[in-house]
mmCIF file of all heavy atoms in Angstrom:
data_model
loop_
_atom_site.group_PDB
_atom_site.id
_atom_site.type_symbol
_atom_site.label_atom_id
_atom_site.label_comp_id
_atom_site.label_asym_id
_atom_site.label_seq_id
_atom_site.Cartn_x
_atom_site.Cartn_y
_atom_site.Cartn_z
ATOM 1 N N ILE J 439 -13.973 4.217 8.186
ATOM 2 C CA ILE J 439 -13.243 4.749 9.266
ATOM 3 C C ILE J 439 -14.437 5.414 10.319
ATOM 4 O O ILE J 439 -15.194 6.252 9.669
ATOM 5 C CB ILE J 439 -12.233 6.009 8.875
ATOM 6 C CG1 ILE J 439 -11.212 5.443 7.916
ATOM 7 C CG2 ILE J 439 -11.569 6.570 10.214
ATOM 8 C CD1 ILE J 439 -10.394 6.475 7.207
ATOM 9 N N GLU J 440 -14.270 4.995 11.441
ATOM 10 C CA GLU J 440 -15.432 5.339 12.269
ATOM 11 C C GLU J 440 -14.982 5.743 13.681
ATOM 12 O O GLU J 440 -14.125 5.021 14.302
ATOM 13 C CB GLU J 440 -16.447 4.325 12.427
ATOM 14 C CG GLU J 440 -17.710 4.640 13.349
ATOM 15 C CD GLU J 440 -18.672 3.604 13.385
ATOM 16 O OE1 GLU J 440 -18.475 2.469 12.838
ATOM 17 O OE2 GLU J 440 -19.738 3.732 14.010
ATOM 18 N N LYS J 441 -15.305 6.993 14.172
ATOM 19 C CA LYS J 441 -15.036 7.395 15.419
ATOM 20 C C LYS J 441 -15.830 6.669 16.445
ATOM 21 O O LYS J 441 -17.042 6.756 16.456
ATOM 22 C CB LYS J 441 -15.124 8.927 15.612
ATOM 23 C CG LYS J 441 -14.879 9.478 16.902
ATOM 24 C CD LYS J 441 -14.976 10.963 17.017
ATOM 25 C CE LYS J 441 -14.880 11.465 18.300
ATOM 26 N NZ LYS J 441 -15.008 12.970 18.469
ATOM 27 N N VAL J 442 -15.275 5.916 17.450
ATOM 28 C CA VAL J 442 -16.048 5.109 18.383
ATOM 29 C C VAL J 442 -15.837 5.597 19.845
ATOM 30 O O VAL J 442 -16.426 4.993 20.712
ATOM 31 C CB VAL J 442 -15.579 3.667 18.259
ATOM 32 C CG1 VAL J 442 -15.975 3.153 16.909
ATOM 33 C CG2 VAL J 442 -14.084 3.407 18.439
ATOM 34 N N GLY J 443 -15.043 6.611 20.075
ATOM 35 C CA GLY J 443 -15.043 7.068 21.566
ATOM 36 C C GLY J 443 -13.643 7.891 21.867
ATOM 37 O O GLY J 443 -12.973 8.283 20.800
ATOM 38 N N LYS J 444 -13.541 8.106 23.144
ATOM 39 C CA LYS J 444 -12.383 8.876 23.562
ATOM 40 C C LYS J 444 -11.672 8.006 24.668
ATOM 41 O O LYS J 444 -12.348 7.294 25.405
ATOM 42 C CB LYS J 444 -12.782 10.296 24.051
ATOM 43 C CG LYS J 444 -13.296 11.139 22.959
ATOM 44 C CD LYS J 444 -13.569 12.607 23.334
ATOM 45 C CE LYS J 444 -14.160 13.472 22.380
ATOM 46 N NZ LYS J 444 -14.395 14.751 22.950
ATOM 47 N N ASP J 445 -10.412 8.316 24.909
ATOM 48 C CA ASP J 445 -9.703 7.481 25.880
ATOM 49 C C ASP J 445 -8.297 8.380 26.228
ATOM 50 O O ASP J 445 -8.104 9.539 25.658
ATOM 51 C CB ASP J 445 -9.189 6.189 25.263
ATOM 52 C CG ASP J 445 -8.799 5.162 26.346
ATOM 53 O OD1 ASP J 445 -8.903 5.672 27.634
ATOM 54 O OD2 ASP J 445 -8.648 4.066 26.064
ATOM 55 N N THR J 446 -7.708 7.878 27.133
ATOM 56 C CA THR J 446 -6.361 8.509 27.559
ATOM 57 C C THR J 446 -5.193 7.463 27.398
ATOM 58 O O THR J 446 -5.363 6.281 27.969
ATOM 59 C CB THR J 446 -6.384 9.028 29.008
ATOM 60 O OG1 THR J 446 -7.402 10.042 29.141
ATOM 61 C CG2 THR J 446 -5.136 9.722 29.334
ATOM 62 N N ILE J 447 -4.247 7.805 26.663
ATOM 63 C CA ILE J 447 -3.117 6.928 26.246
ATOM 64 C C ILE J 447 -1.858 7.595 26.666
ATOM 65 O O ILE J 447 -1.513 8.602 26.313
ATOM 66 C CB ILE J 447 -2.981 6.485 24.834
ATOM 67 C CG1 ILE J 447 -4.336 5.781 24.445
ATOM 68 C CG2 ILE J 447 -1.776 5.634 24.604
ATOM 69 C CD1 ILE J 447 -4.554 4.549 25.123
ATOM 70 N N ALA J 448 -1.079 6.851 27.726
ATOM 71 C CA ALA J 448 0.181 7.351 28.134
ATOM 72 C C ALA J 448 -0.075 8.817 28.697
ATOM 73 O O ALA J 448 0.854 9.680 28.428
ATOM 74 C CB ALA J 448 1.225 7.283 27.111
ATOM 75 N N GLY J 449 -1.244 9.062 29.334
ATOM 76 C CA GLY J 449 -1.359 10.424 29.924
ATOM 77 C C GLY J 449 -1.982 11.553 28.966
ATOM 78 O O GLY J 449 -2.005 12.614 29.282
ATOM 79 N N ARG J 450 -2.209 11.049 27.652
ATOM 80 C CA ARG J 450 -2.526 11.993 26.603
ATOM 81 C C ARG J 450 -4.012 11.698 26.156
ATOM 82 O O ARG J 450 -4.259 10.534 25.844
ATOM 83 C CB ARG J 450 -1.609 11.943 25.440
ATOM 84 C CG ARG J 450 -0.141 12.048 25.907
ATOM 85 C CD ARG J 450 0.812 11.845 24.662
ATOM 86 N NE ARG J 450 0.678 13.057 23.786
ATOM 87 C CZ ARG J 450 1.497 14.148 23.836
ATOM 88 N NH1 ARG J 450 2.359 14.270 24.806
ATOM 89 N NH2 ARG J 450 1.352 15.127 22.988
ATOM 90 N N PRO J 451 -4.966 12.722 26.075
ATOM 91 C CA PRO J 451 -6.259 12.496 25.599
ATOM 92 C C PRO J 451 -6.196 12.168 23.994
ATOM 93 O O PRO J 451 -5.307 12.625 23.318
ATOM 94 C CB PRO J 451 -6.923 13.913 25.681
ATOM 95 C CG PRO J 451 -5.893 14.753 26.653
ATOM 96 C CD PRO J 451 -4.663 14.019 26.478
ATOM 97 N N ALA J 452 -6.994 11.150 23.851
ATOM 98 C CA ALA J 452 -7.013 10.581 22.405
ATOM 99 C C ALA J 452 -8.323 10.125 21.913
ATOM 100 O O ALA J 452 -9.359 10.006 22.799
ATOM 101 C CB ALA J 452 -6.105 9.170 22.359
#
Side-chain angles (χ1 to χ4, degrees):
I439 304 169
E440 184 178 2
K441 179 179 175 182
V442 294
K444 293 184 178 181
D445 200 355
T446 301
I447 299 298
R450 306 177 72 91

